[in-house]
Amino acid sequence: MAGPGWSHLLRRLQKRRSHYFPCSIKETEECSRIAREAEAAVFHQQLFEELRRSMPLSRDPTEVTAIGAVEASFKSCSGAIIVLTNSGRTAQLVSKYRPRAPIIAVTRNAQVARQAHLYRGIFPVLYLNKVHHVWSEDVDQRVSFAMDIAKARGFVHVGDVVIVLTGWRSGAGATNIMRVMPVH
């Protein structure tokens, strides 16, 4: 790192503790840059394999689907993993296995969206449109909404693929469908 060095920056941040402005914008940007660089150095696929081997086998359909989605994201070099979630549990399970791709968690529950910020790699999206009376149409609308957000944020581009996790019915605990979809 150019300049004063990482240890100097940390000491400076610790000395300048304040309730409102703990550090300058320049220092915050430098910490952000270093964190992004460190994250890029992680061997995500190797970490996933080690996590998967260290965990006991699961019979939970949601967790098995989450593991499959992370593995599919590595094999297809997907730009994002889109998760439609009511409780946030599916997005949390995907996050547990540390995919390289960002996890876009689409929910109608504001509390779930806020809590999703606490997990690594989850980008929560609050979907406020009314529930469509046909389940499959509602799913397609939420997936389309998530793809538009992902394109706008630069996570995916036309021609990329995304992994989509949905449930076979509405309600929590029903996630068991994984699709690989191209971005249009």
Side-chain angles (χ1 to χ4, degrees):
M1 174 176 138
W6 179 243
S7 60
H8 173 75
L9 184 60
L10 285 177
R11 280 193 305 273
R12 192 157 175 218
L13 290 174
Q14 288 171 351
K15 286 180 186 176
R16 297 189 62 195
R17 289 187 185 174
S18 165
H19 293 293
Y20 301 106
F21 300 104
C23 57
S24 71
I25 292 173
K26 186 175 181 180
E27 290 168 331
T28 304
E29 288 172 349
E30 183 69 12
C31 286
S32 176
R33 185 190 66 75
I34 291 168
R36 281 193 309 272
E37 192 173 314
E39 180 71 18
V42 173
F43 295 108
H44 293 278
Q45 191 163 4
Q46 181 182 356
L47 178 60
F48 165 68
E49 293 295 334
E50 290 172 5
L51 284 169
R52 197 177 67 179
R53 276 194 299 270
S54 69
M55 299 287 176
L57 294 178
S58 176
R59 300 190 118 174
D60 175 23
T62 303
E63 185 163 8
V64 172
T65 306
I67 292 168
V70 173
E71 187 159 2
S73 77
F74 284 119
K75 293 198 183 282
S76 66
C77 294
S78 70
I81 300 172
I82 296 173
V83 179
L84 305 187
T85 183
N86 290 325
S87 66
R89 182 170 177 266
T90 303
Q92 293 167 10
L93 287 170
V94 173
S95 174
K96 173 180 173 181
Y97 291 98
R98 304 288 193 249
R100 181 184 310 123
I103 304 158
I104 301 170
V106 181
T107 183
R108 287 189 164 99
N109 187 326
Q111 180 178 354
V112 169
R114 286 190 303 273
Q115 290 172 346
H117 281 289
L118 299 174
Y119 293 88
R120 184 203 165 277
I122 298 179
F123 181 79
V125 175
L126 189 59
Y127 185 76
L128 297 175
N129 293 351
K130 291 183 181 180
V131 178
H132 196 280
H133 64 279
V134 177
W135 171 248
S136 61
E137 286 294 319
D138 187 57
V139 168
D140 289 343
Q141 287 175 357
R142 289 184 286 160
V143 168
S144 178
F145 179 74
M147 281 207 197
D148 291 342
I149 295 283
K151 284 190 279 189
R153 291 287 183 161
F155 295 147
V156 298
H157 306 285
V158 174
D160 289 350
V161 294
V162 295
I163 309 298
V164 178
L165 292 179
T166 61
W168 63 279
R169 62 174 168 78
S170 65
T175 302
N176 64 353
I177 297 173
M178 180 184 75
R179 296 185 285 173
V180 180
M181 298 180 64
V183 177
H184 299 292

